[in-house]
Amino acid sequence: MELQTHHRQGYEYVDEGEGPVLLLLHGLFGALSNWADVVDAFRPHYRVLIPLLPIYDMPLAQAGVPGLARYVEGFVGALDLPPAFTVLGNSLGGHVALVYTLDNPARVSRLVLTGSSGLFEDGMGGSFPKRGNYGFVQERVAYTFYDPAVATKELVDEIFRITNSNSKCLRIIAIARSAQRHNLTKELHRITVPVLLVWGLNDTITPPPVAHDFARLLPGAELAFLDHCCHAPMMERPAAFNAYLRRFLRRTEPQPAVLA
């Protein structure tokens, strides 16, 4: 589906549907389109919002997980969102979602993580992006998916253009290093809202043991694995991902207060 973007107070974002808010956060090399199948499935009953994270052009001094969490805070304020809503994050977006939740516990009613960093991440297969090396970029993009065919030429070309810019590469490296440094092991116990973890059984970047660690450290977590799936389940296995998400949302729907 074609996602329409909106602009408000310097933020670029997708805003589809009406109802309870689902706030979706993409990863380091991600894009708004990564969540297209989730938007299509849930916009009939939810308001689905995806801010475009300023990964490639934010001030270098702020380029890191805490800076991106502050950006999300600004976005939430600019759109005057409800007091509490559901946050979903993939890869780096999951890490940002966790930090946002830790800093704003009253705002997050439920959390969904898929291939999230925050405990361990092999972000570029042990390497940082190599400027001007198309073959390297092609190999690393394919490394993200169980089926390398998902790494289309259009996707590889887009990431190659990004990594061919000195200024963008500097920010990518700063953010990737921030994600590796910013370990949340000792803080996750403070997140007590319901959490759904949906993980690719073949994830090479945040492997299955990472998912088990998240499930152990987050008090309200439940874990589901998808086979033949790597680091972006909502892209590689959208129907199965959406089925898990739908059941989770229905089961954890806040109940209206009962008047005495």
Side-chain angles (χ1 to χ4, degrees):
M1 64 172 291
E2 188 78 18
L3 295 176
Q4 299 295 320
T5 58
H6 303 263
H7 296 82
R8 183 186 298 182
Q9 297 183 31
Y11 296 97
E12 182 178 353
Y13 59 97
V14 167
D15 188 350
E16 295 279 349
E18 294 182 4
V21 169
L22 303 180
L23 178 65
L24 281 48
L25 303 177
H26 63 76
L28 182 59
F29 289 101
L32 300 174
S33 60
N34 293 172
W35 295 104
D37 288 291
V38 174
V39 174
D40 194 39
F42 289 90
R43 63 180 174 176
H45 303 289
Y46 292 88
R47 181 184 181 190
V48 187
L49 288 161
I50 321 171
L52 181 64
L53 299 178
I55 288 167
Y56 309 122
D57 53 14
M58 66 193 305
L60 192 55
Q62 299 170 22
V65 174
L68 289 168
R70 287 193 293 273
Y71 183 88
V72 173
E73 289 176 352
F75 175 75
V76 168
L79 268 69
D80 193 24
L81 296 189
F85 43 85
T86 303
V87 182
L88 294 78
N90 171 240
S91 192
L92 173 72
H95 202 158
V96 174
L98 286 163
V99 173
Y100 177 82
T101 303
L102 287 164
D103 291 344
N104 304 271
R107 303 293 321 244
V108 179
S109 58
R110 296 175 292 195
L111 191 58
V112 180
L113 305 174
T114 181
S116 177
S117 58
L119 296 179
F120 170 84
E121 179 188 26
D122 184 12
M124 290 295 291
S127 311
F128 289 110
K130 296 180 180 179
R131 184 171 177 264
N133 188 329
Y134 188 89
F136 173 83
V137 172
Q138 189 174 34
E139 177 188 338
R140 291 303 95 198
V141 174
Y143 184 77
T144 305
F145 300 104
Y146 177 79
D147 179 2
V150 179
T152 62
K153 186 178 185 302
E154 291 77 13
L155 182 58
V156 174
D157 287 350
E158 175 62 21
I159 293 175
F160 178 71
R161 283 193 293 272
I162 291 165
T163 60
N164 213 30
S165 160
N166 270 338
S167 64
K168 291 178 181 178
C169 254
L170 283 173
R171 284 156 179 81
I172 291 166
I173 292 169
I175 291 169
R177 287 178 172 161
S178 169
Q180 290 173 350
R181 288 194 309 268
H182 204 99
N183 189 287
L184 299 174
T185 299
K186 295 181 179 178
E187 300 181 63
L188 293 182
H189 70 277
R190 297 198 283 115
I191 297 177
T192 57
V193 297
V195 180
L196 174 64
L197 306 167
V198 183
W199 236 258
L201 196 57
N202 312 97
D203 194 335
T204 52
I205 296 173
T206 50
V210 177
H212 285 294
D213 285 342
F214 272 118
R216 175 175 53 85
L217 293 167
L218 288 161
E222 59 183 270
L223 172 60
F225 282 108
L226 295 176
D227 200 2
H228 301 103
C229 184
C230 192
H231 192 55
M234 72 288 183
M235 296 175 69
E236 285 201 278
R237 298 285 307 280
F241 179 89
N242 288 341
Y244 279 122
L245 177 56
R246 187 173 290 108
R247 286 195 292 268
F248 172 74
L249 293 175
R250 286 174 178 166
R251 190 169 61 253
T252 58
E253 193 68 38
Q255 298 301 310
V258 178
L259 298 178

